[in-house]
Amino acid sequence: MSDKELCIQIINEFPEEQLRNVLNILENLKEFFYKTNDDDNFCKQLLNEYENCDDIDKNETMTIQDFSKELGIDLK
């Protein structure tokens, strides 16, 4: 049995008066997954742009202490 068929089977087991709540939950999950997918794609695009960037300084590292000093932030 496919995942979709299992989901439908579970939904069919809910009483009619609870289906509105199930529907609301499913709609919220669908929206969450679309937003998560959009965020993942955006992050992948940023990483790809960074990896393909010709900036010679992109591989330089800096400690958090040096970075905070550069920003004028005192880490205590």
Side-chain angles (χ1 to χ4, degrees):
M1 186 176 286
S2 72
D3 289 342
K4 187 173 187 174
E5 290 169 329
L6 287 171
C7 289
I8 291 170
Q9 181 180 340
I10 291 170
I11 289 170
N12 285 335
E13 293 173 6
F14 280 93
E16 186 68 31
E17 58 273 6
Q18 291 181 349
L19 286 178
R20 174 54 60 184
N21 293 331
V22 172
L23 177 61
N24 288 334
I25 291 169
L26 288 173
E27 286 175 340
N28 288 326
L29 277 174
K30 181 179 174 184
E31 184 177 330
F32 170 78
F33 287 129
Y34 280 132
K35 285 182 181 179
T36 301
N37 191 38
D38 288 346
D39 290 345
D40 288 347
N41 288 336
F42 177 72
C43 291
K44 287 176 185 176
Q45 177 185 351
L46 288 177
L47 177 61
N48 187 39
E49 289 174 9
Y50 172 78
E51 290 175 338
N52 294 314
C53 174
D54 292 332
D55 185 354
I56 59 172
D57 296 330
K58 77 176 185 181
N59 292 321
E60 284 187 26
T61 60
M62 179 184 289
T63 66
I64 190 72
Q65 290 80 11
D66 290 341
F67 186 60
S68 66
K69 286 178 187 174
E70 187 175 302
L71 295 175
I73 299 171
D74 186 20
L75 296 178
K76 288 189 177 185

